[in-house]
Amino acid sequence: MSSESAGPTRDSGAPRRAFPVRASDLLKVRAVWILPLILGSAVVVLITAFYVGSVINPLAHLHGLPVDVVNQDRGAVIGTRQVNIGQQV
Protein backbone atom coordinates (compact mmCIF):
# COMPACT_ATOMS: atom_id res chain seq x y z
CA MET A 1 0.00 0.00 0.00
CA SER A 2 1.57 3.30 -1.03
CA SER A 3 1.35 6.50 0.97
CA GLU A 4 -0.50 8.24 -1.85
CA SER A 5 -3.37 5.78 -1.81
CA ALA A 6 -3.60 5.69 2.00
CA GLY A 7 -5.36 9.03 2.40
CA PRO A 8 -8.75 10.11 1.13
CA THR A 9 -8.84 11.69 -2.32
CA ARG A 10 -10.49 14.85 -3.55
CA ASP A 11 -13.04 14.97 -6.31
CA SER A 12 -10.28 15.46 -8.93
CA GLY A 13 -8.67 12.16 -7.96
CA ALA A 14 -5.44 13.82 -6.70
CA PRO A 15 -4.11 12.59 -3.33
CA ARG A 16 -4.80 14.82 -0.34
CA ARG A 17 -1.75 16.24 1.44
CA ALA A 18 -1.38 15.58 5.17
CA PHE A 19 -0.64 19.26 5.81
CA PRO A 20 -2.64 21.65 3.63
CA VAL A 21 -0.11 24.46 4.19
CA ARG A 22 3.46 23.99 3.00
CA ALA A 23 6.56 25.69 4.46
CA SER A 24 7.17 27.53 1.21
CA ASP A 25 3.68 29.03 1.48
CA LEU A 26 4.38 30.27 5.00
CA LEU A 27 7.69 31.88 4.02
CA LYS A 28 5.91 33.95 1.39
CA VAL A 29 3.94 35.71 4.16
CA ARG A 30 6.18 38.39 5.71
CA ALA A 31 4.19 38.62 8.94
CA VAL A 32 5.16 35.03 9.76
CA TRP A 33 8.95 35.44 9.61
CA ILE A 34 9.69 39.17 10.01
CA LEU A 35 8.81 39.41 13.74
CA PRO A 36 11.00 36.44 14.82
CA LEU A 37 13.81 37.82 12.65
CA ILE A 38 13.60 41.25 14.32
CA LEU A 39 13.35 39.80 17.84
CA GLY A 40 16.24 37.42 17.27
CA SER A 41 18.40 40.21 15.88
CA ALA A 42 17.59 42.43 18.87
CA VAL A 43 18.55 39.68 21.32
CA VAL A 44 21.87 39.12 19.53
CA VAL A 45 22.63 42.86 19.62
CA LEU A 46 21.83 43.07 23.35
CA ILE A 47 23.96 40.05 24.23
CA THR A 48 26.85 41.47 22.21
CA ALA A 49 26.52 44.89 23.84
CA PHE A 50 26.54 43.44 27.36
CA TYR A 51 29.50 41.18 26.60
CA VAL A 52 31.61 43.88 24.95
CA GLY A 53 30.61 46.42 27.59
CA SER A 54 31.89 44.22 30.38
CA VAL A 55 35.15 43.47 28.59
CA ILE A 56 36.06 47.09 27.78
CA ASN A 57 36.81 48.14 31.38
CA PRO A 58 36.45 45.19 33.77
CA LEU A 59 38.12 46.95 36.71
CA ALA A 60 35.51 49.70 36.70
CA HIS A 61 32.78 47.08 36.91
CA LEU A 62 34.47 45.47 39.92
CA HIS A 63 34.84 48.73 41.87
CA GLY A 64 33.23 48.37 45.29
CA LEU A 65 32.95 44.58 45.04
CA PRO A 66 33.46 43.21 48.56
CA VAL A 67 36.12 40.49 48.66
CA ASP A 68 37.33 38.52 51.69
CA VAL A 69 40.41 36.34 51.78
CA VAL A 70 40.17 33.33 54.05
CA ASN A 71 43.41 31.75 55.21
CA GLN A 72 42.99 28.10 56.10
CA ASP A 73 46.58 27.18 55.33
CA ARG A 74 48.12 25.22 58.18
CA GLY A 75 51.57 25.37 56.69
CA ALA A 76 54.04 22.58 56.23
CA VAL A 77 57.39 21.53 57.61
CA ILE A 78 60.10 21.30 54.95
CA GLY A 79 63.23 19.92 56.45
CA THR A 80 63.53 21.75 59.75
CA ARG A 81 61.74 24.89 58.58
CA GLN A 82 58.02 25.80 58.98
CA VAL A 83 56.57 27.16 55.69
CA ASN A 84 53.27 29.03 55.82
CA ILE A 85 52.45 30.33 52.34
CA GLY A 86 48.93 31.40 53.35
CA GLN A 87 50.36 34.08 55.66
CA GLN A 88 52.58 35.38 52.85
CA VAL A 89 49.61 35.79 50.50
Side-chain angles (χ1 to χ4, degrees):
M1 177 182 249
S2 71
S3 62
E4 292 179 350
S5 64
T9 59
R10 295 182 182 165
D11 294 337
S12 64
R16 184 175 174 189
R17 295 186 296 193
F19 297 105
V21 178
R22 301 193 52 87
S24 61
D25 296 335
L26 287 176
L27 291 176
K28 291 177 185 175
V29 180
R30 284 189 181 184
V32 170
W33 57 268
I34 199 77
L35 182 64
L37 183 67
I38 291 172
L39 290 176
S41 299
V43 167
V44 168
V45 167
L46 286 173
I47 290 172
T48 303
F50 286 130
Y51 177 75
V52 171
S54 67
V55 171
I56 288 175
N57 191 1
L59 293 178
H61 291 100
L62 296 176
H63 181 70
L65 180 69
V67 176
D68 289 333
V69 177
V70 178
N71 180 13
Q72 293 182 340
D73 183 25
R74 294 186 182 140
V77 177
I78 298 177
T80 58
R81 191 170 151 210
Q82 174 73 19
V83 178
N84 193 348
I85 296 176
Q87 287 291 12
Q88 295 173 2
V89 172

